[in-house]
Amino acid sequence: MKIGFIGLGRMGAGMAANLLKADHEVSVYNRTRTKADELVAQGAKAAASASDACRGDVVITMLANDDAVESVVFGKDGIIDSLPVGATHVSSSTISVALSERLAAAHAKAGQRFIAAPVFGRPDVAAVGKLFVIAAGAPDAIEATAPLFDAIGQKTFVVSDNPQAANLVKLSGNFLIASVIESLGEAMALVGKGGVDPREYLDILTSTLFGAPVYKTYGGLIADRKSRTRRFCGTTGLQRHPSDARGRGRPPRPHAAREPAA
């Protein structure tokens, strides 16, 4: 399949690489052009612009937020103006429900197809093609793009004919992840102030009642004081509460870290 891929950040680069490994013809575009170099070395074509990436059957976007998606889709020589009639835009970005609805309407008016397909999984999971894909859109469009989802993920969940439903699922999932991070941060700060080793505490949790991957992954990051955990809370978790995907705010420091242990 002839694919354009726009957005080669930590998630997008891995996804595009796995599409290449699945023998798809992939054109890649990123505002920072050097991010395409490694993929070009693997066989991708470097698109000169977002418009240039829209010459095939499908264009996939994996961008940071609503503003970035709006710019690429609705801007001058953007996806709406450039994608052929009958071709499909697959949006894997974490965006608001409102923007997803707007995208669906605009693509329909232009005679194009639109699928929302956000993913669950961190960059290391994207790199090995083991993401979980949450897809929503017209059944025939999803069937046609199923090989792409198989290339980037270990399982695809089709949740609705309405694209915005996939974005709602993704946002609600991010909210739950952020809640886990917040509760783990509080608990680990509390026991840490009491002299308990955070790694030993995490092993107790994940070996008993809290064995889910989200506790193991983010618990490990918290125990090791990795900054990426805080970045998730600030940009893709609490700022994108399901009821207000464009809210602002920075997650507070755990209360237990500010109070003396009893």
Side-chain angles (χ1 to χ4, degrees):
M1 195 176 297
K2 191 174 181 180
I3 306 159
F5 201 104
I6 300 174
L8 305 176
R10 298 176 71 233
M11 293 292 293
M15 294 166 67
N18 282 305
L19 291 168
L20 285 168
K21 291 174 185 176
D23 295 324
H24 295 288
E25 183 181 343
V26 184
S27 296
V28 294
Y29 174 75
N30 197 83
R31 286 183 304 176
T32 304
R33 303 298 177 85
T34 54
K35 288 191 174 182
D37 291 347
E38 185 174 342
L39 290 163
V40 170
Q42 296 174 40
K45 175 187 174 183
S49 63
S51 177
D52 192 34
C54 294
R55 308 303 184 197
D57 308 299
V58 177
V59 63
I60 301 173
T61 51
M62 187 55 160
L63 299 163
N65 51 38
D66 281 28
D67 291 341
V69 174
E70 287 176 340
S71 176
V72 166
V73 174
F74 297 111
K76 183 180 179 182
D77 296 324
I79 293 174
I80 290 292
D81 292 336
S82 305
L83 194 65
V85 171
T88 302
H89 173 201
V90 175
S91 172
S92 290
S93 309
T94 301
I95 59 173
S96 66
V97 170
L99 178 56
S100 186
E101 291 174 337
R102 184 182 172 201
L103 291 170
H107 281 299
K109 184 177 180 180
Q112 302 154 350
R113 316 302 300 274
F114 177 66
I115 296 171
V119 297
F120 284 115
R122 289 175 53 79
D124 56 330
V125 178
V128 296
K130 295 296 183 181
L131 295 168
F132 291 101
V133 181
I134 312 300
D140 59 332
I142 289 179
E143 182 179 1
T145 52
L148 308 184
F149 301 145
D150 291 342
I152 65 173
Q154 58 180 296
K155 186 170 183 178
T156 299
F157 298 88
V158 180
V159 296
S160 177
D161 294 354
N162 299 313
Q164 66 268 23
N167 299 106
L168 182 61
V169 170
K170 170 62 175 173
L171 292 169
S172 66
N174 274 19
F175 174 70
L176 289 172
I177 293 171
S179 300
V180 167
I181 292 171
E182 176 68 11
S183 60
L184 274 173
E186 292 283 0
M188 295 179 86
L190 178 64
V191 300
K193 288 180 74 69
V196 177
D197 179 80
R199 270 288 172 185
E200 182 178 354
Y201 178 65
L202 179 63
D203 183 57
I204 293 170
L205 293 180
T206 57
S207 298
T208 54
L209 299 179
F210 303 95
V214 67
Y215 285 95
K216 295 178 180 178
T217 299
Y218 289 103
L221 292 173
I222 293 170
D224 293 339
R225 298 181 179 273
K226 298 289 187 180
S227 63
R228 288 292 178 185
T229 303
R230 295 193 298 273
R231 184 169 182 259
F232 171 87
C233 286
T235 62
T236 58
L238 298 181
Q239 285 187 6
R240 288 186 184 150
H241 187 287
S243 65
D244 180 10
R246 312 238 0 225
R248 293 293 182 264
R250 185 174 294 272
R253 186 176 175 220
H255 288 286
R258 293 175 283 174
E259 299 294 333

